[in-house]
Amino acid sequence: MFCEKAIELIRELHRMSDGQLPAFNEDGLRQVLQEMEALYEQNQSDVNEAKSEGRAELIPSIKLRHCCLLRNQRCVTAYLYDRLLRIRALRWEYGSVLPANVRFHMCAEELQWFSQYKKSLASFMRSLGGDEGLDITQDMKPPKSLYIEVRCLKDHGEFEIDDGTVILLKKNSQHFLPRWKCELLIRQGVLEHVVS
Amino acid sequence: MSDALSDDGSDFNQDGTQEDVMTPAELIAKLEEAWLNEKFSPELLENKSEVVECVMEQLTHMESNLQRVKKGDAKASIHRMEIDRIRYVLSSYLRSRLQKIEKYFPHVLEREKSRGEGEPSLLSPEEFAFAKEYYANTESYLKAVALKRMPSNLQTVDMLKAVPEPCLDSFVFLRVKERQENILVEPETEDQREYVVDLEEGSQHLMRYRTIAPLVSSGAVQLI
């Protein structure tokens, strides 16, 4: 049946409903594009025959193939766009440097899109006024307390806080740090908020 | 509010408009109103860039005041907390807007393009630039990765048709700030009839956004 491969692409994403990004299905995409090319060529020749030899009975199959072509286009663009939305969410979740295992799942064009998106977002944030603008990817939750207890999950080296003191973030060490400085590191999985 | 704000009595309106100068408390109240409205509205609302600018100035001002306070002074923590709170509301407001701009990007750009001469702008200049870049980026991505490999009559996608529009019939909670009379409520189903309601000041309602959309932009109701 036509469009089976295209639906499979959609199903693949539908299965990962938590926003995870699976590997880019280059193969699947290629198969859909090949099917589209084949359908289009069959239609081209049928249209010519229908015109030149007045074979009107070819018209229903021409219409069917055209519908399949549109459906394939729609499924492919839905697949690609949904992936873009997941990639966009990564910028807000992880920051502007993506972990290697995620980058591995992205095709070259997606990496390009991400890099451009990052740039647009950065220049928007810079333009918000003040000296360096406002980083709106921070402050994702309303502030509850000024300082929080955090435990270090991995070695992260030295970390400077506002009054100049330098903290050494060694694995399993616990610190009482200003909340706003820890947000990004918590999201990246370096620190863990300890709720006693 | 705190004395960190009223320190040097700086004005917020230096462009000589006929509005009275807003106190810091009024400015933050305006920010919070804009924030809640934007959060609960299904569509992108008018941009409030004057409020954003003033709040940014305010924050810079507060930060620099904070540097001057003695370290370890109890007041410092309270001021810090206040700065964090305001920054959270401002960031959340701008994030709400960006999310809607990205979600409805062709429609937002279309609305901006077809807006009349005297009508207020939906997007700030920076948001407009961002929206255009987002559109161009997404379109060229789709072309490069798939569309250009498709048959010649299928190499474009009509973004306005492909991207869904915001659902203006979603229900929203609202509180009435200024009494409104004779609001026409359209029927939802065929067996209902349209009817008219009066909205009393201070009352709260759950209604379809479409019915009260103009009241949100005029400030007569507040989404909650």
Side-chain angles (χ1 to χ4, degrees):
Chain A
M1 197 52 237
F2 298 133
C3 306
E4 278 292 334
K5 199 66 205 170
I7 308 269
E8 228 181 87
L9 287 178
I10 307 271
R11 257 194 228 117
E12 183 191 301
L13 284 182
H14 190 67
R15 245 177 271 136
M16 308 197 134
S17 47
D18 56 357
Q20 255 184 70
L21 187 74
F24 188 78
N25 197 338
E26 180 66 57
D27 252 357
L29 178 63
R30 196 167 359 103
Q31 285 177 40
V32 177
L33 292 171
Q34 280 170 354
E35 184 184 274
M36 287 179 79
E37 205 183 312
L39 285 169
Y40 185 70
E41 275 169 21
Q42 285 166 10
N43 258 6
Q44 289 281 66
S45 75
D46 273 6
V47 164
N48 285 334
E49 241 187 272
K51 274 205 200 131
S52 61
E53 292 170 37
R55 292 187 58 193
E57 76 274 13
L58 291 175
I59 295 184
S61 30
I62 293 173
K63 283 195 179 152
L64 175 70
R65 288 195 207 100
H66 187 66
C67 284
C68 294
L69 281 167
L70 288 173
R71 189 157 172 72
N72 274 339
Q73 188 206 46
R74 189 172 169 179
C75 288
V76 164
T77 37
Y79 172 75
L80 296 170
Y81 190 67
D82 193 78
R83 284 180 64 91
L84 280 190
L85 295 181
R86 293 174 195 228
I87 293 171
R88 178 255 184 215
L90 293 172
R91 167 66 187 87
W92 290 84
E93 200 39 52
Y94 285 108
S96 47
V97 178
L98 293 179
N101 59 332
V102 169
R103 269 209 312 273
F104 198 58
H105 282 182
M106 290 164 63
C107 70
E109 292 86 359
E110 285 177 332
L111 288 165
Q112 165 73 0
W113 184 90
F114 182 76
S115 146
Q116 185 55 49
Y117 178 74
K118 261 189 340 187
K119 269 200 217 116
S120 278
L121 184 60
S123 56
F124 172 75
M125 296 197 293
R126 244 192 331 266
S127 73
L128 289 169
D131 293 322
E132 316 148 347
L134 181 68
D135 185 352
I136 57 178
T137 65
Q138 303 286 331
D139 305 299
M140 295 295 261
K141 290 210 172 74
K144 281 241 155 70
S145 63
L146 219 38
Y147 280 71
I148 49 172
E149 187 80 27
V150 288
R151 185 184 301 120
C152 201
L153 298 174
K154 338 181 176 161
D155 279 329
H156 192 73
E158 293 185 348
F159 187 57
E160 188 179 332
I161 51 177
D162 286 339
D163 56 11
T165 46
V166 174
I167 312 264
L168 180 63
L169 293 179
K170 209 160 150 36
K171 185 167 175 184
N172 285 327
S173 58
Q174 264 184 240
H175 307 277
F176 194 56
L177 295 177
R179 189 193 43 81
W180 66 95
K181 289 234 80 114
C182 304
E183 245 198 68
L184 184 58
L185 291 174
I186 293 177
R187 285 221 303 277
Q188 287 175 341
V190 174
L191 294 177
E192 178 188 42
H193 184 179
V194 176
V195 185
S196 47
Chain B
M1 270 179 125
S2 53
D3 49 28
L5 294 182
S6 45
D7 241 59
D8 58 25
S10 48
D11 286 343
F12 296 112
N13 278 16
Q14 273 149 357
D15 54 1
T17 57
Q18 71 261 57
E19 289 170 28
D20 292 315
V21 171
M22 264 190 283
T23 66
E26 285 169 354
L27 174 67
I28 299 304
K30 263 203 148 42
L31 173 67
E32 286 180 3
E33 280 172 17
W35 170 59
L36 289 173
N37 278 341
E38 197 70 69
K39 209 167 183 253
F40 297 120
S41 152
E43 66 172 350
L44 187 68
L45 299 174
E46 223 176 275
N47 89 85
K48 300 272 182 223
S49 37
E50 343 76 52
V51 173
V52 172
E53 262 171 51
C54 289
V55 173
M56 282 298 294
E57 266 175 39
Q58 182 74 305
L59 282 174
T60 322
H61 189 64
M62 287 170 84
E63 289 267 7
S64 63
N65 276 343
L66 205 59
Q67 302 297 349
R68 288 192 263 140
V69 172
K70 215 169 37 157
K71 292 269 178 277
D73 190 350
K75 271 201 300 186
S77 336
I78 303 186
H79 288 333
R80 178 89 248 167
M81 195 58 160
E82 181 153 47
I83 293 177
D84 282 353
R85 284 207 185 102
I86 297 174
R87 211 179 41 233
Y88 167 74
V89 174
L90 182 62
S91 297
S92 182
Y93 170 67
L94 293 167
R95 277 196 295 267
S96 272
R97 286 184 65 82
L98 266 195
Q99 270 164 25
K100 284 189 219 170
I101 290 172
E102 288 175 11
K103 193 168 179 187
Y104 304 120
F105 67 96
H107 306 289
V108 165
L109 286 169
E110 188 63 32
R111 263 174 82 187
E112 189 70 358
K113 214 167 46 167
S114 53
R115 123 186 112 86
E117 270 300 310
E119 276 169 45
S121 188
L122 190 63
L123 303 168
S124 70
E126 299 81 20
E127 286 171 341
F128 187 54
F130 179 83
K132 279 196 298 196
E133 284 167 21
Y134 190 82
Y135 189 115
N137 193 17
T138 307
E139 190 172 43
S140 61
Y141 162 76
L142 289 174
K143 279 208 177 87
V145 80
L147 291 179
K148 70 166 195 260
R149 293 152 73 183
M150 290 190 181
S152 50
N153 63 336
L154 287 164
Q155 286 186 356
T156 49
V157 169
D158 183 351
M159 293 292 198
L160 282 172
K161 284 218 202 89
V163 176
E165 282 186 353
C167 176
L168 299 179
D169 289 314
S170 5
F171 277 79
V172 290
F173 283 95
L174 58 109
R175 183 174 53 238
V176 181
K177 283 163 51 178
E178 296 163 14
R179 182 161 198 277
Q180 300 293 315
E181 292 183 357
N182 296 331
I183 302 295
L184 186 66
V185 180
E186 302 277 339
E188 287 165 64
T189 60
E190 272 167 11
D191 26 328
Q192 286 178 355
R193 265 203 233 107
E194 60 184 23
Y195 59 93
V196 155
V197 289
D198 287 341
L199 300 175
E200 296 298 327
E201 187 180 317
S203 61
Q204 293 176 175
H205 302 267
L206 175 62
M207 298 174 85
R208 253 175 301 145
Y209 175 77
R210 199 190 290 271
T211 314
I212 46 94
L215 301 177
V216 176
S217 29
S218 71
V221 308
Q222 167 76 48
L223 297 182
I224 53 176

